[in-house]
Amino acid sequence: MAYSSSARDFVALSDLHPNLARPNVIGVVIGKTDVRSFPDRKSIGSERYTFNFTIRDSPTYFINVNPWGREEYIRSLSESFRVGDCVTIENPLIQSKEVEREEKFNPVTPSCYKLLLSENHSVVKTSSCYEMDTKLLSLLHLPVKDPQDYYSLGDIIANGQSLDGKILNVLAAVMSVGEPKYFMTSDKRKGQRCEVKLYDETEMSFPIVCWDNESIQLAQTWIPRETVIFASDVRINFDKFRNCMTATVISKTIITTNPETAEANILFSFIKESAQFGALHDKMEEQSKESVGLETIADVYTVEQLKEKALQSDGKLEPVYGIIYGYISTLDIDDNASKVIRNRCSICRFIVNEMSNTCTFCSDVASDLKSTFASFDILVDLTDHTGTLSSCYLSDCVAEETLGCTVHEFLALTEDKTTALKWQLLLERSKIYFKLTLAPSWRTGLKVNVLSCKLADLAEASQSLLGKETGNKIL
């Protein structure tokens, strides 16, 4: 069969064969690798460049594509599209694939062929055929493997090291997406790494690591606790350093975001229920001082000690409650009130959706019984003589106590008075109670909630920081 558009006819991927002259094909990109180079056998001392991408034009058919050429051409072509884009390819070379050798490193496809592209003969364009795009884009949510052929995270952990080095499929929800980390290898090549934490009904935290730029960019589009992925052909390893099982995205891997399958729908229901419960639990804990018990917090830390403690925790740090004798070094309350005040649900105190002004976590409560109220939600930097903790939460009741005014009183202040209030608090030595947790998806990797912030007794602060016997201890 052939697809048609006003400009040209497209041959279905399933109809391709080596004797077909100058075909045009169209498909949605479902997988893509980074650019790599190989020594050019025909020109000693020079290199040829390539990358692999996989396109799909039907629920049952997809094919691998390999462009080859000069560095400038290959890098420019690679940067012209991403996973999820629709592309048209004019005049590719259709070649039989060596199944055993090629599928060791490339995605397994139902096609007996692969497409080769060259700078002189082939053209790749992002498709502007909107009618076709709608049909193609729906293919992005269909896994390339049997939707029932996957391991649960609990199964992987239960099988343990017997799965070390195995290639298998995983269906899971995204718990958090880490910030990309960039580094230089020993042979002066640039590298990157990004770790995503997955969860399902059987396990609440399982790491999957991305080493290539393409999968890292895809991961950055995932929304924690809302996105489900079906990752086909990921490599499972036992991480000796962390003493746990991990998954790694490799060149064979194709990741389907938010798959439309019965199995994924069950997982979607689970994450909705767990998000509802988790959000309520977290907010009740954060907003209830009684649950924290400030009088029970006695450990004094420096910023440097906290960062070292987090660094040495191997990603398994329990919440840390403590005291910092420092000061607020950033407090942007005189810029724009909308940046520091948000609406919360009167029932669960969770921040509501800004567009609809409704709470998504009290879905079981009748809408006429729910209301919202304005609340502080401020990001501040906390600094002492050893360093700074950036983007710490100063919110709700704690913010009112720290600022010395309610939200309504704050909104009534003139610009001059708001600025004056800011400078009453900035750079003043304070006794700051806090709760610190690891948060890989947060920009600093740490989430710090301020539980209390009041001007410090200078003698008490000095004695504590000098390690004298004051009832507190420096850890």
Side-chain angles (χ1 to χ4, degrees):
M1 63 176 291
Y3 298 112
S4 295
S5 77
S6 58
R8 61 178 69 85
D9 288 333
F10 298 108
V11 179
L13 298 180
S14 57
D15 293 339
L16 292 175
H17 56 83
N19 296 326
L20 194 63
R22 302 179 64 84
N24 297 319
V25 299
I26 187 170
V28 63
V29 180
I30 60 173
K32 186 166 176 272
T33 66
D34 285 354
V35 172
R36 59 193 188 279
S37 62
F38 297 92
D40 190 341
R41 296 177 183 175
K42 297 180 181 180
S43 179
I44 305 302
S46 61
E47 293 185 320
R48 297 179 72 204
Y49 287 77
T50 186
F51 67 98
N52 182 83
F53 64 100
T54 307
I55 62 171
R56 187 176 197 172
D57 70 348
S58 73
T60 58
Y61 227 80
F62 46 97
I63 194 169
N64 291 327
V65 187
N66 290 112
W68 285 88
R70 299 175 303 114
E71 180 178 6
E72 295 81 2
Y73 163 67
I74 293 298
R75 292 199 183 279
S76 175
L77 178 60
S78 176
E79 292 170 3
S80 68
F81 62 88
R82 297 288 178 209
V83 170
D85 288 342
C86 297
V87 296
T88 59
I89 303 175
E90 300 174 13
N91 199 29
L93 175 64
I94 305 166
Q95 188 176 78
S96 296
K97 67 180 182 184
E98 299 176 42
V99 176
E100 187 174 339
R101 183 176 67 86
E102 294 184 19
E103 291 191 348
K104 184 177 181 181
F105 302 104
N106 297 314
V108 177
T109 69
S111 177
C112 300
Y113 309 109
K114 63 181 177 180
L115 301 182
L116 298 182
L117 307 183
S118 68
E119 182 175 5
N120 295 330
H121 299 95
S122 310
V123 177
V124 180
K125 299 177 181 177
T126 301
S127 172
S128 59
C129 181
Y130 298 110
E131 182 179 347
M132 183 61 69
D133 286 357
T134 303
K135 298 175 183 177
L136 291 174
L137 289 174
S138 66
L139 302 176
L140 287 171
H141 303 294
L142 297 181
V144 296
K145 296 291 186 74
D146 180 347
Q148 296 181 330
D149 178 18
Y150 67 90
Y151 275 70
S152 72
L153 303 180
D155 287 340
I156 295 173
I157 292 172
N159 282 276
Q161 296 188 46
S162 65
L163 292 179
D164 187 40
K166 301 292 186 182
I167 307 296
L168 48 82
N169 310 321
V170 171
L171 174 68
V174 175
M175 174 64 75
S176 63
V177 180
E179 291 291 328
K181 306 294 184 183
Y182 300 94
F183 56 87
M184 192 74 73
T185 63
S186 58
D187 56 355
K188 305 300 181 184
R189 290 183 297 110
K190 292 181 179 179
Q192 61 277 314
R193 181 184 188 276
C194 175
E195 183 166 297
V196 176
K197 292 292 178 61
L198 303 178
Y199 71 111
D200 62 10
E201 300 97 328
T202 64
E203 176 61 36
M204 291 309 293
S205 183
F206 185 93
I208 182 169
V209 182
C210 306
W211 291 97
D212 64 291
N213 188 52
E214 292 296 335
S215 62
I216 289 174
Q217 288 198 45
L218 179 62
Q220 297 303 308
T221 67
W222 298 336
I223 303 174
R225 303 189 186 222
E226 293 183 22
T227 300
V228 169
I229 64 170
F230 187 101
S232 69
D233 289 336
V234 294
R235 188 176 67 235
I236 302 299
N237 289 111
F238 177 71
D239 187 326
K240 294 180 181 178
F241 180 74
R242 292 190 286 184
N243 194 35
C244 69
M245 302 302 293
T246 65
T248 302
V249 176
I250 57 177
S251 56
K252 286 173 59 69
T253 306
I254 290 182
I255 299 177
T256 304
T257 302
N258 292 335
E260 294 178 352
T261 66
E263 295 76 16
N265 287 337
I266 293 172
L267 188 52
F268 275 119
S269 298
F270 168 74
I271 66 175
K272 183 178 179 181
E273 293 171 4
S274 62
Q276 182 173 350
F277 175 80
L280 291 172
H281 179 271
D282 289 347
K283 283 302 168 184
M284 285 190 294
E285 182 184 72
E286 288 177 13
Q287 301 303 331
S288 174
K289 282 192 176 181
E290 290 72 26
S291 69
V292 177
L294 293 183
E295 71 281 355
T296 67
I297 300 174
D299 296 335
V300 178
Y301 294 86
T302 65
V303 169
E304 183 179 46
Q305 288 170 335
L306 287 173
K307 290 182 176 180
E308 287 179 357
K309 190 178 184 71
L311 197 62
Q312 297 168 3
S313 67
D314 279 347
K316 299 178 181 178
L317 183 68
E318 292 294 318
V320 177
Y321 293 89
I323 299 168
I324 292 175
Y325 286 99
Y327 52 88
I328 296 175
S329 53
T330 299
L331 182 64
D332 295 327
I333 60 173
D334 56 348
D335 180 21
N336 186 339
S338 64
K339 293 182 179 181
V340 298
I341 295 174
R342 304 280 295 277
N343 285 333
R344 293 179 184 269
C345 173
S346 59
I347 295 176
C348 67
R349 303 185 77 86
F350 193 74
I351 293 175
V352 301
N353 182 284
E354 289 187 19
M355 298 296 291
S356 63
N357 199 38
T358 57
C359 180
T360 57
F361 294 102
C362 291
S363 55
D364 295 334
V365 180
S367 57
D368 57 345
L369 298 178
K370 290 189 286 187
S371 61
T372 62
F373 66 96
S375 169
F376 285 116
D377 195 60
I378 309 170
L379 291 179
V380 300
D381 290 354
L382 302 179
T383 300
D384 68 3
H385 62 290
T386 67
T388 297
L389 290 171
S390 302
S391 301
C392 305
Y393 281 104
L394 178 63
S395 59
D396 206 9
C397 305
V398 178
E400 290 189 355
E401 291 178 5
T402 303
L403 297 176
C405 63
T406 65
V407 171
H408 297 294
E409 291 169 342
F410 176 82
L411 290 172
L413 295 177
T414 63
E415 185 176 339
D416 289 344
K417 289 186 177 179
T418 303
T419 302
L421 174 61
K422 169 181 175 177
W423 285 104
Q424 283 178 20
L425 298 167
L426 269 180
L427 307 181
E428 293 291 336
R429 177 70 69 179
S430 300
K431 184 178 184 180
I432 303 164
Y433 288 83
F434 67 88
K435 172 189 174 184
L436 179 146
T437 52
L438 293 183
S441 61
W442 192 238
R443 69 194 74 173
T444 62
L446 300 173
K447 180 181 178 184
V448 179
N449 289 86
V450 178
L451 306 178
S452 174
C453 179
K454 296 181 179 179
L455 293 180
D457 179 285
L458 296 182
E460 176 188 332
S462 299
Q463 287 180 332
S464 294
L465 292 172
L466 289 172
K468 293 182 178 179
E469 294 182 7
T470 61
N472 294 333
K473 58 180 180 179
I474 296 181
L475 299 185

